[in-house]
PDB file of all heavy atoms in Angstrom:
ATOM      1  N   PRO Z  26     -30.090-128.957  10.632  1.00 96.00           N
ATOM      2  CA  PRO Z  26     -31.429-129.359  10.176  1.00 96.00           C
ATOM      3  C   PRO Z  26     -32.396-129.857  11.351  1.00 96.00           C
ATOM      4  O   PRO Z  26     -33.538-129.792  11.140  1.00 96.00           O
ATOM      5  CB  PRO Z  26     -31.006-130.567   9.243  1.00 96.00           C
ATOM      6  CG  PRO Z  26     -29.734-130.966   9.427  1.00 96.00           C
ATOM      7  CD  PRO Z  26     -28.982-129.785  10.106  1.00 96.00           C
ATOM      8  N   ALA Z  27     -31.893-130.299  12.354  1.00 93.00           N
ATOM      9  CA  ALA Z  27     -32.622-130.903  13.450  1.00 93.00           C
ATOM     10  C   ALA Z  27     -33.142-129.773  14.450  1.00 93.00           C
ATOM     11  O   ALA Z  27     -34.020-129.972  15.268  1.00 93.00           O
ATOM     12  CB  ALA Z  27     -31.963-131.930  14.238  1.00 93.00           C
ATOM     13  N   ALA Z  28     -32.564-128.551  14.259  1.00 98.00           N
ATOM     14  CA  ALA Z  28     -32.881-127.521  15.292  1.00 98.00           C
ATOM     15  C   ALA Z  28     -34.109-126.694  14.948  1.00 98.00           C
ATOM     16  O   ALA Z  28     -34.308-126.438  13.734  1.00 98.00           O
ATOM     17  CB  ALA Z  28     -31.743-126.622  15.495  1.00 98.00           C
ATOM     18  N   ARG Z  29     -34.929-126.293  15.931  1.00 98.00           N
ATOM     19  CA  ARG Z  29     -35.923-125.192  15.619  1.00 98.00           C
ATOM     20  C   ARG Z  29     -35.217-123.807  15.689  1.00 98.00           C
ATOM     21  O   ARG Z  29     -34.424-123.568  16.604  1.00 98.00           O
ATOM     22  CB  ARG Z  29     -36.993-125.334  16.830  1.00 98.00           C
ATOM     23  CG  ARG Z  29     -37.921-126.475  16.658  1.00 98.00           C
ATOM     24  CD  ARG Z  29     -38.457-126.955  17.962  1.00 98.00           C
ATOM     25  NE  ARG Z  29     -39.150-125.756  18.768  1.00 98.00           N
ATOM     26  CZ  ARG Z  29     -39.432-125.838  19.980  1.00 98.00           C
ATOM     27  NH1 ARG Z  29     -39.260-126.924  20.709  1.00 98.00           N
ATOM     28  NH2 ARG Z  29     -40.024-124.824  20.536  1.00 98.00           N
ATOM     29  N   ILE Z  30     -35.537-123.013  14.726  1.00 98.00           N
ATOM     30  CA  ILE Z  30     -34.926-121.689  14.666  1.00 98.00           C
ATOM     31  C   ILE Z  30     -35.852-120.650  15.200  1.00 98.00           C
ATOM     32  O   ILE Z  30     -37.085-120.461  14.610  1.00 98.00           O
ATOM     33  CB  ILE Z  30     -34.477-121.415  13.159  1.00 98.00           C
ATOM     34  CG1 ILE Z  30     -33.425-122.466  12.674  1.00 98.00           C
ATOM     35  CG2 ILE Z  30     -33.770-120.001  13.149  1.00 98.00           C
ATOM     36  CD1 ILE Z  30     -33.051-122.340  11.259  1.00 98.00           C
ATOM     37  N   ARG Z  31     -35.421-119.944  16.104  1.00 98.00           N
ATOM     38  CA  ARG Z  31     -36.232-118.828  16.705  1.00 98.00           C
ATOM     39  C   ARG Z  31     -35.540-117.471  16.520  1.00 98.00           C
ATOM     40  O   ARG Z  31     -34.474-117.302  17.164  1.00 98.00           O
ATOM     41  CB  ARG Z  31     -36.404-119.264  18.220  1.00 98.00           C
ATOM     42  CG  ARG Z  31     -37.382-118.345  18.960  1.00 98.00           C
ATOM     43  CD  ARG Z  31     -37.502-118.795  20.472  1.00 98.00           C
ATOM     44  NE  ARG Z  31     -38.178-120.105  20.609  1.00 98.00           N
ATOM     45  CZ  ARG Z  31     -38.047-120.837  21.763  1.00 98.00           C
ATOM     46  NH1 ARG Z  31     -37.354-120.388  22.749  1.00 98.00           N
ATOM     47  NH2 ARG Z  31     -38.791-121.873  21.960  1.00 98.00           N
ATOM     48  N   TYR Z  32     -36.149-116.687  15.692  1.00 99.00           N
ATOM     49  CA  TYR Z  32     -35.507-115.396  15.400  1.00 99.00           C
ATOM     50  C   TYR Z  32     -35.644-114.421  16.570  1.00 99.00           C
ATOM     51  O   TYR Z  32     -36.776-114.195  17.020  1.00 99.00           O
ATOM     52  CB  TYR Z  32     -36.124-114.781  14.108  1.00 99.00           C
ATOM     53  CG  TYR Z  32     -35.675-113.371  13.788  1.00 99.00           C
ATOM     54  CD1 TYR Z  32     -34.376-112.975  13.684  1.00 99.00           C
ATOM     55  CD2 TYR Z  32     -36.633-112.285  13.579  1.00 99.00           C
ATOM     56  CE1 TYR Z  32     -33.895-111.728  13.472  1.00 99.00           C
ATOM     57  CE2 TYR Z  32     -36.195-111.032  13.355  1.00 99.00           C
ATOM     58  CZ  TYR Z  32     -34.812-110.743  13.264  1.00 99.00           C
ATOM     59  OH  TYR Z  32     -34.465-109.388  13.004  1.00 99.00           O
ATOM     60  N   ALA Z  33     -34.556-113.836  17.002  1.00 98.00           N
ATOM     61  CA  ALA Z  33     -34.534-112.771  18.056  1.00 98.00           C
ATOM     62  C   ALA Z  33     -35.035-111.434  17.414  1.00 98.00           C
ATOM     63  O   ALA Z  33     -34.217-110.810  16.780  1.00 98.00           O
ATOM     64  CB  ALA Z  33     -33.267-112.707  18.743  1.00 98.00           C
ATOM     65  N   VAL Z  34     -36.211-111.079  17.594  1.00 98.00           N
ATOM     66  CA  VAL Z  34     -36.761-109.898  16.876  1.00 98.00           C
ATOM     67  C   VAL Z  34     -36.020-108.672  17.135  1.00 98.00           C
ATOM     68  O   VAL Z  34     -35.902-107.736  16.263  1.00 98.00           O
ATOM     69  CB  VAL Z  34     -38.374-109.754  17.236  1.00 98.00           C
ATOM     70  CG1 VAL Z  34     -38.920-108.561  16.763  1.00 98.00           C
ATOM     71  CG2 VAL Z  34     -39.102-111.030  16.768  1.00 98.00           C
ATOM     72  N   LYS Z  35     -35.468-108.557  18.265  1.00 98.00           N
ATOM     73  CA  LYS Z  35     -34.829-107.312  18.659  1.00 98.00           C
ATOM     74  C   LYS Z  35     -33.718-106.933  17.790  1.00 98.00           C
ATOM     75  O   LYS Z  35     -33.332-105.807  17.639  1.00 98.00           O
ATOM     76  CB  LYS Z  35     -34.229-107.374  20.171  1.00 98.00           C
ATOM     77  CG  LYS Z  35     -33.250-108.554  20.359  1.00 98.00           C
ATOM     78  CD  LYS Z  35     -32.743-108.699  21.793  1.00 98.00           C
ATOM     79  CE  LYS Z  35     -33.782-109.237  22.729  1.00 98.00           C
ATOM     80  NZ  LYS Z  35     -33.860-110.725  22.571  1.00 98.00           N
ATOM     81  N   ALA Z  36     -33.104-107.890  17.073  1.00 98.00           N
ATOM     82  CA  ALA Z  36     -31.909-107.695  16.200  1.00 98.00           C
ATOM     83  C   ALA Z  36     -32.309-106.751  15.105  1.00 98.00           C
ATOM     84  O   ALA Z  36     -31.534-105.860  14.625  1.00 98.00           O
ATOM     85  CB  ALA Z  36     -31.329-108.991  15.736  1.00 98.00           C
ATOM     86  N   SER Z  37     -33.574-106.932  14.581  1.00 98.00           N
ATOM     87  CA  SER Z  37     -34.015-106.006  13.532  1.00 98.00           C
ATOM     88  C   SER Z  37     -35.594-106.156  13.383  1.00 98.00           C
ATOM     89  O   SER Z  37     -36.055-107.030  12.567  1.00 98.00           O
ATOM     90  CB  SER Z  37     -33.375-106.345  12.154  1.00 98.00           C
ATOM     91  OG  SER Z  37     -33.857-105.482  11.160  1.00 98.00           O
ATOM     92  N   PRO Z  38     -36.266-105.447  14.213  1.00 98.00           N
ATOM     93  CA  PRO Z  38     -37.754-105.610  14.298  1.00 98.00           C
ATOM     94  C   PRO Z  38     -38.434-104.941  13.105  1.00 98.00           C
ATOM     95  O   PRO Z  38     -39.199-103.984  13.280  1.00 98.00           O
ATOM     96  CB  PRO Z  38     -38.079-104.877  15.617  1.00 98.00           C
ATOM     97  CG  PRO Z  38     -36.984-103.946  15.828  1.00 98.00           C
ATOM     98  CD  PRO Z  38     -35.706-104.361  15.123  1.00 98.00           C
ATOM     99  N   VAL Z  39     -38.197-105.426  11.920  1.00 98.00           N
ATOM    100  CA  VAL Z  39     -38.698-104.888  10.724  1.00 98.00           C
ATOM    101  C   VAL Z  39     -39.838-105.835  10.207  1.00 98.00           C
ATOM    102  O   VAL Z  39     -39.630-106.950  10.021  1.00 98.00           O
ATOM    103  CB  VAL Z  39     -37.633-104.732   9.613  1.00 98.00           C
ATOM    104  CG1 VAL Z  39     -38.092-104.366   8.265  1.00 98.00           C
ATOM    105  CG2 VAL Z  39     -36.492-103.808  10.114  1.00 98.00           C
ATOM    106  N   ASP Z  40     -41.055-105.212   9.903  1.00 98.00           N
ATOM    107  CA  ASP Z  40     -42.186-105.999   9.560  1.00 98.00           C
ATOM    108  C   ASP Z  40     -41.977-107.067   8.476  1.00 98.00           C
ATOM    109  O   ASP Z  40     -42.232-108.152   8.535  1.00 98.00           O
ATOM    110  CB  ASP Z  40     -43.319-105.050   9.006  1.00 98.00           C
ATOM    111  CG  ASP Z  40     -43.987-104.284  10.207  1.00 98.00           C
ATOM    112  OD1 ASP Z  40     -43.603-104.603  11.362  1.00 98.00           O
ATOM    113  OD2 ASP Z  40     -44.799-103.367   9.912  1.00 98.00           O
ATOM    114  N   GLU Z  41     -41.311-106.530   7.367  1.00 98.00           N
ATOM    115  CA  GLU Z  41     -41.032-107.382   6.235  1.00 98.00           C
ATOM    116  C   GLU Z  41     -40.200-108.651   6.562  1.00 98.00           C
ATOM    117  O   GLU Z  41     -40.434-109.796   6.090  1.00 98.00           O
ATOM    118  CB  GLU Z  41     -40.365-106.605   5.088  1.00 98.00           C
ATOM    119  CG  GLU Z  41     -41.270-105.592   4.333  1.00 98.00           C
ATOM    120  CD  GLU Z  41     -41.234-104.202   5.065  1.00 98.00           C
ATOM    121  OE1 GLU Z  41     -40.835-104.133   6.242  1.00 98.00           O
ATOM    122  OE2 GLU Z  41     -41.537-103.247   4.410  1.00 98.00           O
ATOM    123  N   LEU Z  42     -39.300-108.469   7.514  1.00 98.00           N
ATOM    124  CA  LEU Z  42     -38.432-109.569   7.830  1.00 98.00           C
ATOM    125  C   LEU Z  42     -39.134-110.565   8.753  1.00 98.00           C
ATOM    126  O   LEU Z  42     -38.965-111.765   8.597  1.00 98.00           O
ATOM    127  CB  LEU Z  42     -37.118-108.973   8.543  1.00 98.00           C
ATOM    128  CG  LEU Z  42     -36.346-108.028   7.794  1.00 98.00           C
ATOM    129  CD1 LEU Z  42     -35.013-107.676   8.595  1.00 98.00           C
ATOM    130  CD2 LEU Z  42     -36.020-108.567   6.381  1.00 98.00           C
TER     131      LEU Z  42
END
Side-chain angles (χ1 to χ4, degrees):
R29 287 156 49 195
I30 301 175
R31 189 179 286 166
Y32 172 53
V34 172
K35 60 180 76 77
S37 181
V39 172
D40 286 354
E41 290 87 338
L42 302 186

